[in-house]
Amino acid sequence: MLTVGDKFPAFKLTAVKGGKEGLLGPGKSFTEITETTDAGKWKVVFFWPKDFTFICPTEIAAFGKLNGEFSDRDTVLYGASTDSEFVHLNWRVYNEDIRNLEIPMLADTKRELSEALGILDKNEGVPLRATFIVDPEGTIQWAAVNGLNVGRNPQEVLRVLDALQTDELCPCNWEKGKDVLKPQELFEKAA
C-alpha cells in the first residue's frame, strides 16, 4: 500500500457529480476527475468496498456532512469504489442518506487506482476502507485503512488534516485551536 511520502498515483475516472447536479440523470450527472482536478488544493480521497451495502453509506454520509468544514480548509473530498458511475447514480437516487451528497463519487471500475494504491482486499477484490490525505503537491501526508467490516471516523480525518496544515508538532489528541509543541520553549523551561 502506498503511504506517507509517496506520490498519489495519476488517475482519470468518471464520477457522479456532487450536489443536485449529480441527480440529473445519465450524461448530465457525470464528470471526469483526474489527479490535476482541483490543483493546488488539499485532497481527501476515501474508498469504500461496495455500493448498496450497510456500513458504506454511513461513512459516505458522515464525510458529506463535513464537506463544508473540509472546504473551509481548502480541501476537496473524493469518495471512490470500484462500482460504475451508473451504480453510484442509482445508489444516490434510492438511498436517503446519500441522495443529497455534496461530494463526487468516483468510479474506479478498472481497479487501476485501487491497484496502484495497493488497497484491494486480497480475498474479495474490492477496496478496503482506505483514506488518504494528499497535500497540494500531490504527496500523501496521511494514510489509514480499515478492514471491510469496520467503519471509519471522518472527524478524525478532519482532525489530522488540521494538524497537518499547521506544519507544527502536534501532540496526541491535539485539536484545532489548541497549543502545538514548541521544543525550544520546552528546553528553555527545563533549563
Side-chain angles (χ1 to χ4, degrees), residues 10-123:
F11 67 92
K12 180 178 172 181
L13 299 174
T14 301
V16 173
K17 298 174 185 176
K20 292 179 182 177
E21 289 184 326
L23 296 172
L24 297 175
K28 296 178 183 176
S29 292
F30 303 147
T31 189
E32 185 177 276
I33 294 181
T34 72
E35 76 281 359
T36 60
T37 303
D38 299 305
K41 291 184 178 271
W42 286 79
K43 295 177 178 78
V44 171
V45 185
F46 67 96
F47 289 79
W48 62 87
K50 296 178 183 178
D51 290 5
F52 290 97
T53 56
F54 305 101
I55 297 171
C56 299
T58 67
E59 293 182 303
I60 298 165
F63 272 111
K65 288 176 185 168
L66 293 175
N67 187 50
E69 291 193 51
F70 281 102
S71 231
D72 289 346
R73 290 154 173 88
D74 203 28
T75 302
V76 294
L77 288 169
Y78 296 146
S81 81
T82 52
D83 293 287
S84 76
E85 63 273 20
F86 295 97
V87 175
H88 288 337
L89 175 60
N90 195 40
W91 196 26
R92 276 206 47 205
V93 167
Y94 291 102
N95 186 299
E96 190 66 37
D97 294 332
I98 60 172
R99 181 172 297 131
N100 297 314
L101 188 67
E102 291 293 326
I103 62 175
M105 299 171 80
L106 284 65
D108 186 20
T109 53
K110 294 180 182 177
R111 291 173 162 69
E112 292 171 335
L113 183 55
S114 299
E115 285 179 0
L117 289 165
I119 60 166
L120 289 175
D121 182 83
K122 290 175 177 68
N123 295 320

Side-chain angles (χ1 to χ4, degrees), residues 185-191:
E185 290 175 13
L186 295 173
F187 284 116
E188 289 171 2
K189 285 181 184 177

